[in-house]
């Protein structure tokens, strides 16, 4: 197993940082552009959110089977192909003729992107020693946070200068460059064992992971964390480009600089969880998320920005802990366990991201914050269940 501080560890960290960067940039570059897309196609905010939701639900479904494909073809090949194909589809999306065409391409992009996240988590859990896994996963997720920031900020600026179509195309070219870096730097798998279980066997393996109540709790946490996160950032653009703020797309995109908080929290919280126990630290991150959401209700713009920063800090820290925990709880077939976590994670994004649009249309911003509050209460309950479950475990199990 690879230890922290070695050259191989650094190469893995760099490659997966670049991969996480481009994955989130490609997936979420349309998020701050939803008001523009809504106006361009004369559709509602909830309908414009489908440009993100269809991608995430396509990712979620594909991830159920991509782990089995990576078992047969290898982690490195699947991750590289995912980055290349999703970047090409982003470039094609810039030339879409209508709303339906754009949705179809976003579905295909979600399918292509699915190859990276689940396979990356499995690659890390196979190659990195357990004592360093939380830190390594945190570095990967910090790439997600910076990619999400860059994708949103760059798309906002380019939209103001040129158009939202030019913004999508530019992100696609950026993705191709990151794919080259990934292929050149990522080390081959050392602990990968090739298998070809077939579809029926894959379904059986997926179902076996659903019989573990601790894994189901982590899947639920993934749903809640991502559902609240995407919902908040989907509709903050509508809130800030409207009265009384009337911010430009560039300014709204620049607010996503709060994603840098995720770069700090994902690695720091991962280390704290490795040291003090995952249930306690994860509960703290959920409390931070709730505090951030409440701050966004304040009318002062600077308080809203502080709330967004707190929310991002808590989310990326919580996701870092929960995602790394899955690989430790799953005794066997880790790729299927990680795929299920990401399935629920991105289903949370799709269901909550679009459902939140209806809450926003009927209740305004308080509807969004209310939904996140309910999610936080459910998250605390799941953390409590996991902590109590530890007391029934024998010695030698992972830190809870």
């Amino acid at each position: 197993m690879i230890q922290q501080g070695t050259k191989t560890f650094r190469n893995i960290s760099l490659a997966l940082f670049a991969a996480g960067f481009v994955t989130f940039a490609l997936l979420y570059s349309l998020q701050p552009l939803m008001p523009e897309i809504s106006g361009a196609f004369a559709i509602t905010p909830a309908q414009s959110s489908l440009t993100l939701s269809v991608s995430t639900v396509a990712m979620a479904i594909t991830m159920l089977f991509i782990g089995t494909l990576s078992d047969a073809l290898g982690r490195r090949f699947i991750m590289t192909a995912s980055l290349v194909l999703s970047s090409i589809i982003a470039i094609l999306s810039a030339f879409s003729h209508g709303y339906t065409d754009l949705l179809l391409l976003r579905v295909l992009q979600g399918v292509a992107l699915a190859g990276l996240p689940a396979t990356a988590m499995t690659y890390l859990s196979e190659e990195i020693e357990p004592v360093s896994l939380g830190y390594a996963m945190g570095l990967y997720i910090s790439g997600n946070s910076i990619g999400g920031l860059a994708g949103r900020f760059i798309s906002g600026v380019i939209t103001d200068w040129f158009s939202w179509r030019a913004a999508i195309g530019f992100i696609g070219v950026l993705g191709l460059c990151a794919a080259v870096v990934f292929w050149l730097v990522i080390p081959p798998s050392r602990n990968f064992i090739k298998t070809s279980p077939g579809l029926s066997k894959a379904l059986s393996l997926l179902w076996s992971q659903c019989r573990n109540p601790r894994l189901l709790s982590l899947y639920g946490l993934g749903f809640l964390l991502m559902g609240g996160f995407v919902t908040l950032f989907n509709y903050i653009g509508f809130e800030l480009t409207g009265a009384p703020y009337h911010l430009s797309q560039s300014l709204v995109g620049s607010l996503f600089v709060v994603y840098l908080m995720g770069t700090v929290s994902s690695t720091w919280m991962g280390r704290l969880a490795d040291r003090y126990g995952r249930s306690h630290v994860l509960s703290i991150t959920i409390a931070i998320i709730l505090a951030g959401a409440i701050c966004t209700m304040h009318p002062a713009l600077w308080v809203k920005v502080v709330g967004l920063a707190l929310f991002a800090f808590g989310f990326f820290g919580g996701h870092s802990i929960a995602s790394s925990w899955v690989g430790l709880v799953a005794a066997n077939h880790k790729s299927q366990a990680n795929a299920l976590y990401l399935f629920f994670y991105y289903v949370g994004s799709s269901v909550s991201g679009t459902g939140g649009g209806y809450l926003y249309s009927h209740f305004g911003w308080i509807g969004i914050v209310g939904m996140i509050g309910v999610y936080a209460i459910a998250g605390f309950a799941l953390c409590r269940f996991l902590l109590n479950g530890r007391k029934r475990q024998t010695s030698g199990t992972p830190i809870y």
Side-chain angles (χ1 to χ4, degrees), residues 88-345:
I88 292 173
I89 294 171
I91 295 171
L92 294 176
S93 298
F95 301 96
S96 57
H97 294 293
Y99 175 64
T100 303
D101 294 337
L102 179 60
L103 287 183
L104 177 60
L105 286 167
R106 290 289 288 177
V107 169
L108 294 175
Q109 189 173 43
V111 172
L113 280 171
L116 190 283
T119 309
M121 292 170 63
T122 303
Y123 177 89
L124 285 173
S125 63
E126 288 176 342
E127 304 299 321
I128 304 297
E129 62 176 358
V131 72
S132 302
L133 182 59
Y135 179 62
M137 193 71 74
L139 289 173
Y140 163 62
I141 292 174
S142 70
N144 292 347
S145 66
I146 295 179
L149 161 65
R152 290 164 169 92
F153 176 72
I154 293 170
S155 62
V157 171
I158 294 179
T159 297
D160 277 346
W161 287 353
F162 301 101
S163 69
W164 62 269
R165 294 180 182 276
I168 296 173
F170 182 84
I171 298 295
V173 173
L174 187 65
L176 286 176
C177 295
V180 172
V181 172
F182 179 84
W183 174 256
L184 293 175
V185 175
I186 188 74
S189 298
R190 294 180 177 180
N191 301 308
F192 168 71
I193 299 175
K194 182 178 180 179
T195 58
S196 300
L199 180 59
S200 60
K201 180 64 173 178
L203 292 173
S204 175
L205 293 176
L206 288 169
W207 174 244
S208 69
Q209 305 296 345
C210 292
R211 294 199 295 268
N212 186 328
R214 291 175 291 152
L215 284 176
L216 286 176
S217 297
L218 291 171
Y219 300 157
L221 283 166
F223 179 98
L224 297 171
L225 287 168
M226 189 58 162
F229 177 75
V230 166
T231 301
L232 186 89
F233 283 96
N234 268 3
Y235 300 103
I236 194 65
F238 290 95
E239 190 77 359
L240 297 180
T241 55
Y245 307 103
H246 299 294
L247 300 185
S248 68
Q249 284 297 327
S250 294
L251 285 175
V252 172
S254 68
L255 291 178
F256 287 100
V257 73
V258 299
Y259 269 48
L260 292 177
M261 300 297 293
T263 306
V264 177
S265 69
S266 57
T267 52
W268 185 48
M269 290 294 185
R271 280 176 165 172
L272 290 178
D274 288 339
R275 184 173 181 180
Y276 297 109
R278 290 170 171 79
S279 295
H280 296 302
V281 181
L282 188 52
S283 295
I284 291 171
T285 65
I286 294 173
I288 295 171
I289 287 171
L290 182 58
I294 293 172
C295 285
T296 63
M297 296 178 65
H298 197 281
L301 181 59
W302 73 269
V303 178
K304 288 184 182 292
V305 174
V306 170
L308 292 175
L310 285 172
F311 197 94
F313 185 92
F315 165 74
F316 282 105
H319 174 43
S320 174
I321 295 167
S323 58
S324 64
W325 202 347
V326 171
L328 297 175
V329 170
N332 300 298
H333 310 297
K334 295 180 186 293
S335 62
Q336 283 75 24
N338 287 324
L340 278 168
Y341 172 82
L342 290 171
F343 171 78
F344 284 97
Y345 179 81

Side-chain angles (χ1 to χ4, degrees), residues 55-74:
S55 292
T56 52
V57 76
M59 282 184 69
I61 295 171
T62 307
M63 281 176 182
L64 293 177
F65 308 99
I66 203 69
T68 301
L69 189 62
S70 74
D71 287 342
L73 300 179

